Amino acid sequence: MYINGKHVESIGGGWFPVYDPSTEEIIAEVPDSREADVDRAAKAARTAFDSGEWPATTAQQRGRLLFKLADRIRNEAGKLAELEARNCGKPIVEAEMDIADTATCFEYYGGLATKVLGHVNPVPDNALSLSLREPVGVAGQIIPWNYPLLMSAWKLAPALAAGCTCILKPAEQTPLTALEMTERLDEIGFPPGVVNVISGFGESAGAPLVRHPDVDKIAFTGSAAVGKIILRNAAESIKRVTLELGGKSPNIFFSDADFEAAIDGALFGVFINQGEVCSAGSRILVERPIYRKFVEALAEKAKTIKLGAPLDRETKMGPLVSKEQYERVREYQEIGKREAKLLAGGGRASSFSKGYYVEPTIFADVDNGTRIAREEVFGPVAAVIPFDGEADAVRIANDSPYGLAAAVWSRDIFRALRVVKSVRAGIVWVNHMQPTYVEAPWGGYKQSGFGRELGPWGIEEYLETKQVYINLNEQPIAWY
Ligand code: ADP
Ligand code: MG
């Protein structure tokens, strides 16, 4: 792993295996960092933030470093995409898009570094009142396994542009691309301690990072359950926290939607990246008049989705990321069979003798109160729910503890926009689901977390605001 500009092993000497989920074979071993390693990384990041080269860098210099990193990632995109696909099980074609988005994210924040603006406050006295923007300090960043390198960029890029130093902890299942990226940081010119990447597990490496007194801010993407633990652990030192948690996002189809586009949109919305997507459209809400025809077409088309090896360019869905996730999804398939009507899939993908492959699974006639409609599965399991009219659609859509994303499909612009306004979610798509751009804000309402990533919103989360009052009155204070 990478601490203070050096590649190091863990202090305790432990290692843990990393798997290829399509073969179930070990493809790497990485250091198992514990509290002492977290402490070492936090000290390095603290020192790099407080002294030396980094606090003296200009925004232009930080921007150029991010451009260089983006270039290196683009130049090695093929190799990184392959590593990502092998480690996550995701289709190579999707991994290539992730790597391209990763480079774009570093570029975007490289450009934004020089656009952080302060403010002049119109106070009523003979004074100049300013607001200065300053980096929040040492950022601890904990990310999930579904988009490993892209999530690294979503975290590192705005933090570095702002002038923070970082300790990134990739998910234990998928640390390889983030570690690979560290090979280039020294050469690009990041001073030691500015970026640290530690491999380790949630409780033994993530939790000490959240509790560490030298860490000023925690940015987390992951499950709501862990988000709650992080909030509690961050309370002790009043850390700044941003959380991007799960979802149970409604994908809403009105009768007047383009039917073919709707079927594709429903499947793409929930099965892209094997359904291992926080914004997955896992609740498919369909208006009653088209409901029967819709579920039949959905079931028919779901059967044509090509499952295969991650490195096969024809593959649309690979294996799930890990044995643990496979078992979790299999359990939800069984829960669904007890709660609703199985329409497609429902089990292990039987044509594979190895690997964590499950069938894309669709349940119909789902009641919004059931577990498969309320709990995040984080896998290819969809719940189709009928509704009667706009008010009913909005009621069901909002009847969820989550509020990350939603989509609405209709050719009636007035209705589509009314639904956009009524849905309590941080991201709403109309006649599409999932496109994500670095220029636009990303984050959730309700138990999907708080704070926004991407765009100018993303850098805000790594900035403090300092109020400065400059007295222009050269007289003694009229108090005595
Ligand atoms: P999943 O359930 O899919 O594993 P998690 O929310 O558990 O998703 O994991 C997301 C990230 O959070 C991973 O990097 C994981 O190591 C980390 N993590 C898990 N538990 C904790 C914890 N108690 N404190 C800090 N980080 C944690
Ligand atoms: Mg976990």
Side-chain angles (χ1 to χ4, degrees), residues 30-48:
V30 297
D32 184 3
S33 52
R34 300 297 173 97
E35 196 155 356
D37 303 291
V38 172
D39 187 53
R40 182 163 60 155
K43 291 263 168 7
R46 186 79 253 163
T47 304

Side-chain angles (χ1 to χ4, degrees), residues 142-145 169-173 200-203 206-207 210 220-224 226 229-230 233 324-325 328 378:
I142 301 173
I143 57 171
W145 42 257
K169 194 199 83 63
E172 54 271 27
Q173 297 86 348
F201 289 82
E203 276 174 34
V210 176
F220 171 73
T221 300
S223 62
V226 172
I229 297 170
I230 285 179
N233 284 339
E324 184 190 355
Q325 193 60 16
R328 190 182 144 87
F378 222 70

Side-chain angles (χ1 to χ4, degrees), residues 383-396:
V384 190
I385 305 170
F387 69 86
D388 296 293
E390 190 177 320
D392 199 33
V394 169
R395 180 188 62 76
I396 297 169

